[in-house]
Amino acid sequence: MRAIRRFTVRPVLPEPLVGLGALAGNLRWSWHPPTQDVFAEVDPELWESTGRDPVRLLGAVGRARLDELAGDAGFVVRLEAAHADLTAYLSEDLWYQRTVAGQGGPSAIGYFSPEFGITAVLPQYSGGLGILAGDHLKAASDLGVPVIGVGLLYKHGYFKQSLSREGWQQETYPVLDPDGLPIAALREADGTPATVSIAMPGGPALIARIWVASVGRVPLLMLDTDVEGNPPAYVDVTDRLYGGNSEHRLRQELLLGVGGVRALRVYSRLTGAPAPEVFHTNEGHAGFLGLERIRELTVAEGGPRLDLDTAVEVSRAGTVFTTHTPVPAGIDRFPRTVIEQYFEDAAGATPGVPVDRILALGAEDYEGGDPSVFNMAVMGFRLAQRANGVSQLHGHVSREMFNGLWPAFDEAEVPITSITNGVHAPTWVAREVFELAESEGASQADVDSFWPVADRVAGSRIWSVKRELRARLVEDARRRLRASWLKRGVAAAELGWIEEALSPDVLTIGFARRVPSYKRLTLMLRDPERLKRLLLDPERPIQLVIAGKSHPADDGGKRLIQEMVRFADDPEVRHRIVFLPNYDIAMAQPLYPGCDVWLNNPLRPYEACGTSGMKAALNGGLNLSILDGWWDEWYDGENGWAIPSADGPGYEADPGHRDDVEAQALYDLIEHEIAPRFYDVDHDGVPGRWVEMMRHTWKSLGPKVLATRMVRDYVQQLYSPAATAARSLNSDYAGAVELAAWKRSVLAAWPAVRVDHVESSGVGDAPEVGDVLSVRAFVSLGTLAPGDVRVELLHGAIDSADSLEEVAATVLAPAEGYDGGRHCFAGSVTLDHSGPFGYTVRVVPRNDHLASVAELGVVALA
């Protein structure tokens, strides 16, 4: 019989053990091994059987055991020490307080993402985007950066993956009880749940409850529509991550963006936390936050009401937008008619923001765009003054993808910068690796102390630890493999072979990620017989541990998984290659440390960043990857291997041939370079050249791949400048009013702006290095003043088509004024290198509040 109601009964802890509740309630335990040790000591078997979930552990442990622990003086001392350590962590001054807060850094940053991967016990993530968001919050906490996360609480999370007897992916959606998760309800002063609401077309308002997860020092607000009073269609808005049809996704993104801003306001009101000065939207899913901030400013209560243009400028100045996808198909696009329905002027989700203006913000009104759709990424760029990609190559790809928004500018000047992703080392690095470094004097309090000690640790100790980690992975993989086969309907009596599956002494290659086609899960299967020979080599065998989920609606991805599973099921090779279903954080944590090589073979340049290889590198794993994402900028020839990619129109027109060429290059690297180096051991059984590559990997990549480096970059390059820009417009809004009026006047006058004539002198028929080129540009500005523009002399080396390369800009100063809005600007440049040289002159808008010369999208060229 089914229960008519369900709830979770929370334990009552004896007074000496109340610290356990505080430790369980803060997700810092998920990356803090000493705290995990305390929970493991409560009941080691329960700790493992509950999935290392402190909340479940405390709910399952018996009263007698709690009383026993309360009387155990040694345990109480260890618990109190862990609790004191957490208290100090939450209160002490860290990097941000010591170096940024007093220099004008933002008082708070709202970080919006549709998914957050913090820990396996809070399954609110599907893949890289969510893991990146989780690592961002953890690193912000470790640095003291005042971030507040904003996301959704999905009743079913993403999905649990299993396999059918035939190897087809199957999805299940277990119900998550919020009372059994490491989160707490945000409550009003009278104890009632705190909520937000959003107007919905033709019906009652959508109501969402606010939950808070404590991620170290960072609160994560999560909105949940499973609220009494919501009709069933509204309850289902937060049913699962990336599920449902287009309108369902739109409702989720409305809740995340509009509801998320409102949740931040409620949180600040109830807790006294500073209101964010900067709003960061992690991918376009949260882009509607900009509309809500504009609405707030145009219908402000208790303050000045701004006109729409002024409100847009105030909102833009404090908004950062990060794009993560290098493929147009990965961007959310909605029919314009649906946007009209949800944002109709009077009763829409953001009343006061005209629907025609909203439609214009997301319009693909550029060459090659689709006029019938509303593009969330396009709106994200238009509502954020600062934007970035997530690796250097991805920044380049993004500038090309979205050049249509700034058609007057070359790709290099499209205002999308790059901050390469990083990973949170305490989450992903094996405890034994930290202990290796600490044994030579490194300290987790000083991350820079880790890299130099790589040369001081004996190679035999490094290799011994690596074997231990490989053995742990083998044990975990066998356990998961057995469970998978049993679920596929095979009798336990048939599974004796699993005890021999994988080996702690065989070269282990890992491959785990989402399974869209461009990540090419099955590239390694292009020549099955050659792969078999590599797996079964009698002297230098390899073994493969593979995992990954396909989106439930992606049958193409599921077919790739099935192809891989069927190959791995072959009795001839199944002890050397395994596919482990239900890839998640819990699987990943032993997987990265246990692999010797991390394989990544996407179609270049479709991997935006790809942080899994970073996690392997921090554990001494060597990357074997296509030069894409982060590997393209940080591969140095000694910290792993680059798979040659078959680029060019001929290969792009024949993807099958491209796959064949790149697969052969992959096989060759494994057979002729990787396996020989791994098995080339000295008299102590240590592969000296391999260990040297591990050392070099730690030293060359360690400082770069950290999420703390990434978050510092965001603070210094994006958050602090955004806060400064926002304050300059927010103080009394006069600056914003002036900026909005100035932009209108410049755009209205720009058709009359032109470069009429350019004169040069100082360079003869045979110019030499050291000569001074003087230039006078005669420019028509119409109704604009010289102070409204910057006239630039662009110069540098040129190619055979007379295109400028490595362009430098020299500002020309106003020299003379004439009737009719004509002006002369003059300046000079010294020729400092030989070779072909060229120059041109352009006029761009100039205002101290602009973050980029391309911000208005207009330019006048000679």
Side-chain angles (χ1 to χ4, degrees), residues 75 94 122-123 343 375 461 466 479 483 502 504 552 626 634 647 656 669 686 692 716 861:
F75 177 80
L94 300 175
L122 187 62
F343 288 95
N375 186 308
R461 292 186 61 211
K466 194 64 184 180
R479 178 180 59 81
L502 307 180
I626 294 284
W634 289 336
D647 298 325
L669 281 170
V686 177
E692 286 308 309
Q716 294 164 344
L861 293 168

Side-chain angles (χ1 to χ4, degrees), residues 312-319 381-387 405-409 413-416 725 729 739-740 742-743 746-747 790 842 844-859:
V312 168
E313 296 306 328
V314 172
S315 176
R316 285 186 76 250
T319 301
F381 285 117
R382 286 175 171 154
L383 286 180
Q385 192 175 38
R386 289 166 177 81
L405 294 173
W406 300 273
F409 291 86
E413 287 192 304
V414 168
I416 304 173
L729 299 182
L739 178 61
W742 178 83
K743 283 189 173 182
V746 168
L747 291 174
R790 184 165 69 225
R842 74 175 180 185
V844 293
R846 190 202 72 77
N847 189 293
D848 290 342
H849 292 296
L850 299 184
S852 161
V853 296
E855 188 165 318
L856 268 68
V858 293
V859 63

Side-chain angles (χ1 to χ4, degrees), residues 461-476:
R461 292 186 61 211
I462 291 174
W463 200 237
S464 175
V465 166
K466 194 64 184 180
R467 187 190 186 282
E468 179 183 347
L469 298 174
R470 204 182 300 118
R472 183 180 303 157
L473 168 60
V474 168
E475 181 182 353
D476 186 71

Side-chain angles (χ1 to χ4, degrees), residues 591-602:
L591 176 58
Y592 296 121
C595 288
D596 301 292
V597 173
W598 195 258
L599 174 62
N600 189 28
N601 46 228

Side-chain angles (χ1 to χ4, degrees), residues 356-398:
D356 59 340
R357 187 65 177 269
I358 294 172
L359 290 169
L361 288 168
E364 295 186 0
D365 53 358
Y366 44 80
E367 184 177 354
D370 183 347
S372 70
V373 301
F374 181 93
N375 186 308
M376 293 294 289
V378 166
M379 179 180 66
F381 285 117
R382 286 175 171 154
L383 286 180
Q385 192 175 38
R386 289 166 177 81
N388 70 288
V390 292
S391 68
Q392 293 293 325
L393 179 59
H394 179 236
H396 167 70
V397 171
S398 297

Side-chain angles (χ1 to χ4, degrees), residues 728-776:
S728 71
L729 299 182
N730 284 356
S731 56
D732 60 3
Y733 297 118
V737 172
E738 292 175 5
L739 178 61
W742 178 83
K743 283 189 173 182
R744 286 193 297 267
S745 67
V746 168
L747 291 174
W750 202 260
V753 175
R754 62 182 182 273
V755 180
D756 295 320
H757 179 59
V758 178
E759 296 178 351
S760 65
S761 61
V763 175
D765 293 336
E768 297 179 344
V769 172
D771 288 350
V772 177
L773 172 69
S774 297
V775 173
R776 288 164 57 86

Side-chain angles (χ1 to χ4, degrees), residues 29 36 46-57 119 121:
W29 63 259
Q36 296 169 19
L46 268 181
W47 176 239
E48 295 298 331
S49 66
T50 57
R52 300 192 172 194
D53 180 344
V55 174
R56 288 180 61 199
L57 170 73
T119 166
V121 306

